[in-house]
Amino acid sequence: MDEYSRFVDWDKMDATIQTQDSKELICTDFQEFKQLARQGCWAKNHSLRAKVYLKLIGNIPCRTVTPDANVYRDIVVKIIGKRNTGTLPLPEFVDNNLVPNYCLNAEGIGAVRKIICCIANQFPDISFCPALPSVVALLLHYSRDEAECFEMVCRILACNDPSKRLIDQTFLAFESSCMTFGDLVNKYCQAAHKLMVAVSEDVLEVYSDWQRWLFGELPLVYVARVFDVFLVEGYKVLYRIALALLKVFHKVRAGQPMESDNMQQDIRAFVRDIAKSVSPEKLLEKAFAIRLFSRKEIQLLHMANEKALQQKGITVKQKSRCTPPVCSVSSSKRQNVHLAVHAENFKSEIVSVKEMRDIWSWIPERFALCQPLLLFTTLEHGCSLNRFYSHNEGHEPTLLMIKTTAKEVCGAYLSTDWSERRRGGNKLSFFGTGECFVFRLQPEVERYEWVIIKHPELAMTTSEPGAKSTQVSTVLSSSSIPSDSSDRLSPFLAARHFNLPSKTASMFMAGSNECIIIGGGDGQALYLDADLNHGRTSHCNTFNNQPLCSENFQISAMEVWGFKDTMNV
C-alpha cells in the first residue's frame, strides 16, 4: 500500500484502481491539462491522483491568512478532546447532510468529522455549505494524514480569485445556484423539465437537490472524475454534470412508471445507481456535449438570481420552527408554480389556471418568486396601441397573450421594458434579450426559443451573395460574430453586451406607433397592427415547427401580465 492509503478500505474499492507509486505528471499547458483531466489520465492510479490534487489545490490563490496543516495539529486536540469521533455532531452549515462513506475505513469516517469541526472553528463566516462533508471525504482519500486534508479543503474555501468560484459557503450563494440550475434545465433539458413539471408537486424543490446529486449521491468513482475536472475548470463543470445526469435520468425513465410518488427521492436513487445506466466516461462526454454553455452565461444568471433573492430578503435559511405565515414569505423555499398562479386569485379571458402554470414553468426562476399581475387587457382597456404602451411601460418582464377569433392561443415572454423602444426615436426600435420566447397554447402547447439559442449553428451561416435582407433578423451573419462566439453569444446578455455592427441582428422585440414585432428572422414571429385587432405571423419550416397561429388572424382578446413581487406585500 502507498502513503495515500491510510484512510482507504481497499476491500470496497474498485479493483482496477492501482495503488502503486508513479512518476509525477509533467504538464504546464492549461489546455493539455484540461484534456488530461477530462480523459481521466490519473483516474486509475490512486497515488498519481493524490499528487495531482495536491498540486492543483496548492496553486489556488488564497487569502493571506489561510489555515494550514500546522494549524490543524495545533487545534484538533483542543476542539475534539476525547470525544468519540464517530458520533461528533456536525456544524449546522452542512444542513444535516450525512458524511458519504466513499470506501473510507472506520478511521477515515471519524477523521472526516474531526476535520469538518476544525474547519468550522477556523471559518466562522461559513453559514451554509452542504457539500463540505463530501469534499472532505473525497480529499481524505488522497491525503497522507488528516492535517494535509484539512489544508487542502481550507485552500478551496479560502480561494480569493473573483473569477474562480469553487464551493458555495452561504445560503444566498447556494440558493442562487439552485435557481440558476433550474434556469439552465429549463433551457437545455426541456424534455426533462417537462417531465418534472408534470409529475412533481414542487419542481423547484427537485432542482434545489442538484448539488446533493453530485456531492452525496454519486458513487466514488464518478464523483472523483467530476472533481478531477472541477479542480481544473471550476464551478461550471458541476452544472454540466448535473444537467447530464438529468438528461440520462429522463432518457432511461421516460415512459416508465415512477418508482415512488416522490420525484426527488427517485432521482437520488437513480444517481446512486448511475452505474447501471452510464459509465463515468459517457457521463462526462454527455456533459461536455451541451452547447452554448459559457462561463459568462452562468455568472450573469447567478448574479441576477442572487440579486432577486437579496431584494426579497432571502439571504439566510430560516429555522424549521418558524410559523407557516413567516415561512411562506421568507423561507428558503421559492414559490411553487401552484402557489404563484393560485386558482382563487387568477382570472383570465384567454388562458386557464393550468395553462398559466405551464407558462410559469418556462419563465426564469428568479421571477417564479412573483405572482402574475394583469397590466393590460383589450376587454377593459380597448385596442389602442398607445394605451397598450402606457399600461405596460415600467414593467419588466411581461407576458403577452393573444386569443384569435379561430380560438388559437399564442403569446410571448418579453424580457425588456417596452419603454426601450424610444431609444430608436421615430424608427422601429429593436430590443430584448435571449431569455425572450414565443409560445403556442392552442391547439397544441409548444414553446419556441430565440433562434440562435435553439440553433447555434445558424449563427455561423453566411448569407448568400445578393440575397435579400429581411426586415427583422435574429440570425447573425458570420461577419457579426465576435472572435470568441462561445463567450459572446450568451442568451442572458442584454444588447449592450453584444459587439455587433447592427442592433437588428440580435434583437427580439420591436415597437413603434404603427406596429409591434416579436421574434422575427428565420424563426417564429408575431406582427401586430396599431389597432390591435389584426395580426400576422411568419414561420420558417427549417425546424419542422408548426406556426404559432394562422398566417393572418383577427384578435379576439389580448392580455399582458406583469410579475407581482409577493415578498414585499
Side-chain angles (χ1 to χ4, degrees), residues 295-313:
R295 183 175 284 105
K296 181 173 286 187
E297 175 182 79
I298 295 172
Q299 289 173 339
L300 285 165
L301 256 182
H302 190 272
M303 288 189 295
N305 287 328
E306 193 168 280
K307 183 178 179 181
L309 289 168
Q310 286 175 319
Q311 289 175 341
K312 293 163 178 64

mmCIF file of all heavy atoms in Angstrom, residues 295-313:
data_model
loop_
_atom_site.group_PDB
_atom_site.id
_atom_site.type_symbol
_atom_site.label_atom_id
_atom_site.label_comp_id
_atom_site.label_asym_id
_atom_site.label_seq_id
_atom_site.Cartn_x
_atom_site.Cartn_y
_atom_site.Cartn_z
ATOM 1 N N ARG A 295 -19.050 30.508 -19.390
ATOM 2 C CA ARG A 295 -18.871 30.997 -18.025
ATOM 3 C C ARG A 295 -19.627 32.315 -17.827
ATOM 4 O O ARG A 295 -20.197 32.572 -16.763
ATOM 5 C CB ARG A 295 -17.381 31.187 -17.737
ATOM 6 C CG ARG A 295 -17.087 31.616 -16.311
ATOM 7 C CD ARG A 295 -15.598 31.672 -16.046
ATOM 8 N NE ARG A 295 -15.040 30.334 -15.883
ATOM 9 C CZ ARG A 295 -14.308 29.708 -16.802
ATOM 10 N NH1 ARG A 295 -14.063 30.302 -17.957
ATOM 11 N NH2 ARG A 295 -13.836 28.499 -16.590
ATOM 12 N N LYS A 296 -19.645 33.150 -18.847
ATOM 13 C CA LYS A 296 -20.337 34.435 -18.742
ATOM 14 C C LYS A 296 -21.836 34.231 -18.534
ATOM 15 O O LYS A 296 -22.476 34.930 -17.756
ATOM 16 C CB LYS A 296 -20.095 35.277 -19.995
ATOM 17 C CG LYS A 296 -20.765 36.642 -19.958
ATOM 18 C CD LYS A 296 -20.354 37.497 -21.146
ATOM 19 C CE LYS A 296 -18.948 38.003 -20.988
ATOM 20 N NZ LYS A 296 -18.577 38.963 -22.051
ATOM 21 N N GLU A 297 -22.389 33.241 -19.213
ATOM 22 C CA GLU A 297 -23.813 32.930 -19.061
ATOM 23 C C GLU A 297 -24.126 32.576 -17.611
ATOM 24 O O GLU A 297 -25.087 33.077 -17.019
ATOM 25 C CB GLU A 297 -24.165 31.771 -19.978
ATOM 26 C CG GLU A 297 -25.587 31.262 -19.838
ATOM 27 C CD GLU A 297 -25.847 30.082 -20.743
ATOM 28 O OE1 GLU A 297 -25.446 28.959 -20.418
ATOM 29 O OE2 GLU A 297 -26.438 30.302 -21.806
ATOM 30 N N ILE A 298 -23.297 31.730 -17.038
ATOM 31 C CA ILE A 298 -23.511 31.300 -15.658
ATOM 32 C C ILE A 298 -23.374 32.468 -14.693
ATOM 33 O O ILE A 298 -24.187 32.645 -13.780
ATOM 34 C CB ILE A 298 -22.520 30.181 -15.291
ATOM 35 C CG1 ILE A 298 -22.809 28.940 -16.133
ATOM 36 C CG2 ILE A 298 -22.619 29.841 -13.805
ATOM 37 C CD1 ILE A 298 -21.767 27.851 -15.980
ATOM 38 N N GLN A 299 -22.354 33.287 -14.890
ATOM 39 C CA GLN A 299 -22.129 34.418 -13.992
ATOM 40 C C GLN A 299 -23.291 35.399 -14.028
ATOM 41 O O GLN A 299 -23.746 35.877 -12.982
ATOM 42 C CB GLN A 299 -20.823 35.131 -14.371
ATOM 43 C CG GLN A 299 -19.573 34.323 -14.042
ATOM 44 C CD GLN A 299 -18.306 34.974 -14.570
ATOM 45 O OE1 GLN A 299 -18.339 35.792 -15.490
ATOM 46 N NE2 GLN A 299 -17.176 34.597 -14.001
ATOM 47 N N LEU A 300 -23.792 35.691 -15.222
ATOM 48 C CA LEU A 300 -24.903 36.636 -15.342
ATOM 49 C C LEU A 300 -26.177 36.093 -14.699
ATOM 50 O O LEU A 300 -26.885 36.803 -13.982
ATOM 51 C CB LEU A 300 -25.155 36.962 -16.819
ATOM 52 C CG LEU A 300 -24.141 37.901 -17.468
ATOM 53 C CD1 LEU A 300 -24.270 37.868 -18.974
ATOM 54 C CD2 LEU A 300 -24.332 39.321 -16.959
ATOM 55 N N LEU A 301 -26.451 34.832 -14.952
ATOM 56 C CA LEU A 301 -27.638 34.213 -14.354
ATOM 57 C C LEU A 301 -27.524 34.185 -12.835
ATOM 58 O O LEU A 301 -28.475 34.505 -12.120
ATOM 59 C CB LEU A 301 -27.779 32.790 -14.872
ATOM 60 C CG LEU A 301 -28.849 32.533 -15.930
ATOM 61 C CD1 LEU A 301 -28.881 31.078 -16.291
ATOM 62 C CD2 LEU A 301 -30.206 32.995 -15.470
ATOM 63 N N HIS A 302 -26.371 33.796 -12.358
ATOM 64 C CA HIS A 302 -26.171 33.692 -10.910
ATOM 65 C C HIS A 302 -26.320 35.058 -10.249
ATOM 66 O O HIS A 302 -26.969 35.188 -9.199
ATOM 67 C CB HIS A 302 -24.790 33.105 -10.615
ATOM 68 C CG HIS A 302 -24.586 32.750 -9.178
ATOM 69 N ND1 HIS A 302 -24.114 33.656 -8.258
ATOM 70 C CD2 HIS A 302 -24.811 31.603 -8.491
ATOM 71 C CE1 HIS A 302 -24.047 33.081 -7.074
ATOM 72 N NE2 HIS A 302 -24.468 31.835 -7.183
ATOM 73 N N MET A 303 -25.744 36.094 -10.856
ATOM 74 C CA MET A 303 -25.858 37.440 -10.291
ATOM 75 C C MET A 303 -27.298 37.927 -10.295
ATOM 76 O O MET A 303 -27.760 38.539 -9.327
ATOM 77 C CB MET A 303 -24.961 38.412 -11.069
ATOM 78 C CG MET A 303 -23.477 38.227 -10.802
ATOM 79 S SD MET A 303 -22.458 39.540 -11.522
ATOM 80 C CE MET A 303 -22.723 39.271 -13.268
ATOM 81 N N ALA A 304 -28.019 37.647 -11.369
ATOM 82 C CA ALA A 304 -29.423 38.069 -11.454
ATOM 83 C C ALA A 304 -30.265 37.362 -10.399
ATOM 84 O O ALA A 304 -31.113 37.975 -9.734
ATOM 85 C CB ALA A 304 -29.965 37.784 -12.851
ATOM 86 N N ASN A 305 -30.028 36.069 -10.210
ATOM 87 C CA ASN A 305 -30.788 35.316 -9.216
ATOM 88 C C ASN A 305 -30.426 35.736 -7.802
ATOM 89 O O ASN A 305 -31.289 35.833 -6.925
ATOM 90 C CB ASN A 305 -30.544 33.818 -9.403
ATOM 91 C CG ASN A 305 -31.231 33.258 -10.636
ATOM 92 O OD1 ASN A 305 -32.290 33.735 -11.029
ATOM 93 N ND2 ASN A 305 -30.628 32.275 -11.264
ATOM 94 N N GLU A 306 -29.158 35.997 -7.567
ATOM 95 C CA GLU A 306 -28.726 36.438 -6.241
ATOM 96 C C GLU A 306 -29.333 37.796 -5.899
ATOM 97 O O GLU A 306 -29.783 38.028 -4.777
ATOM 98 C CB GLU A 306 -27.201 36.512 -6.198
ATOM 99 C CG GLU A 306 -26.633 36.643 -4.805
ATOM 100 C CD GLU A 306 -25.139 36.413 -4.766
ATOM 101 O OE1 GLU A 306 -24.714 35.243 -4.774
ATOM 102 O OE2 GLU A 306 -24.397 37.414 -4.736
ATOM 103 N N LYS A 307 -29.360 38.668 -6.890
ATOM 104 C CA LYS A 307 -29.950 39.995 -6.675
ATOM 105 C C LYS A 307 -31.443 39.874 -6.364
ATOM 106 O O LYS A 307 -31.964 40.563 -5.472
ATOM 107 C CB LYS A 307 -29.743 40.872 -7.909
ATOM 108 C CG LYS A 307 -30.259 42.292 -7.755
ATOM 109 C CD LYS A 307 -29.979 43.117 -9.000
ATOM 110 C CE LYS A 307 -30.519 44.536 -8.856
ATOM 111 N NZ LYS A 307 -30.269 45.343 -10.084
ATOM 112 N N ALA A 308 -32.133 38.994 -7.075
ATOM 113 C CA ALA A 308 -33.568 38.796 -6.835
ATOM 114 C C ALA A 308 -33.818 38.281 -5.422
ATOM 115 O O ALA A 308 -34.756 38.715 -4.741
ATOM 116 C CB ALA A 308 -34.145 37.826 -7.861
ATOM 117 N N LEU A 309 -32.989 37.379 -4.956
ATOM 118 C CA LEU A 309 -33.131 36.845 -3.597
ATOM 119 C C LEU A 309 -32.856 37.916 -2.552
ATOM 120 O O LEU A 309 -33.565 38.018 -1.546
ATOM 121 C CB LEU A 309 -32.174 35.664 -3.398
ATOM 122 C CG LEU A 309 -32.536 34.376 -4.145
ATOM 123 C CD1 LEU A 309 -31.381 33.391 -4.101
ATOM 124 C CD2 LEU A 309 -33.783 33.744 -3.557
ATOM 125 N N GLN A 310 -31.827 38.732 -2.786
ATOM 126 C CA GLN A 310 -31.498 39.798 -1.844
ATOM 127 C C GLN A 310 -32.635 40.806 -1.745
ATOM 128 O O GLN A 310 -32.979 41.274 -0.656
ATOM 129 C CB GLN A 310 -30.211 40.496 -2.271
ATOM 130 C CG GLN A 310 -28.961 39.672 -2.022
ATOM 131 C CD GLN A 310 -27.720 40.355 -2.561
ATOM 132 O OE1 GLN A 310 -27.722 40.937 -3.641
ATOM 133 N NE2 GLN A 310 -26.629 40.276 -1.812
ATOM 134 N N GLN A 311 -33.209 41.142 -2.893
ATOM 135 C CA GLN A 311 -34.302 42.115 -2.898
ATOM 136 C C GLN A 311 -35.520 41.606 -2.144
ATOM 137 O O GLN A 311 -36.303 42.389 -1.617
ATOM 138 C CB GLN A 311 -34.678 42.450 -4.347
ATOM 139 C CG GLN A 311 -33.625 43.278 -5.072
ATOM 140 C CD GLN A 311 -33.968 43.489 -6.536
ATOM 141 O OE1 GLN A 311 -34.784 42.761 -7.112
ATOM 142 N NE2 GLN A 311 -33.349 44.476 -7.163
ATOM 143 N N LYS A 312 -35.654 40.305 -2.073
ATOM 144 C CA LYS A 312 -36.805 39.716 -1.392
ATOM 145 C C LYS A 312 -36.470 39.227 0.012
ATOM 146 O O LYS A 312 -37.259 38.557 0.653
ATOM 147 C CB LYS A 312 -37.378 38.586 -2.253
ATOM 148 C CG LYS A 312 -37.988 39.135 -3.537
ATOM 149 C CD LYS A 312 -38.193 38.057 -4.570
ATOM 150 C CE LYS A 312 -38.838 38.661 -5.800
ATOM 151 N NZ LYS A 312 -37.963 39.663 -6.444
ATOM 152 N N GLY A 313 -35.260 39.566 0.474
ATOM 153 C CA GLY A 313 -34.884 39.252 1.847
ATOM 154 C C GLY A 313 -34.558 37.804 2.099
ATOM 155 O O GLY A 313 -34.519 37.359 3.247
#
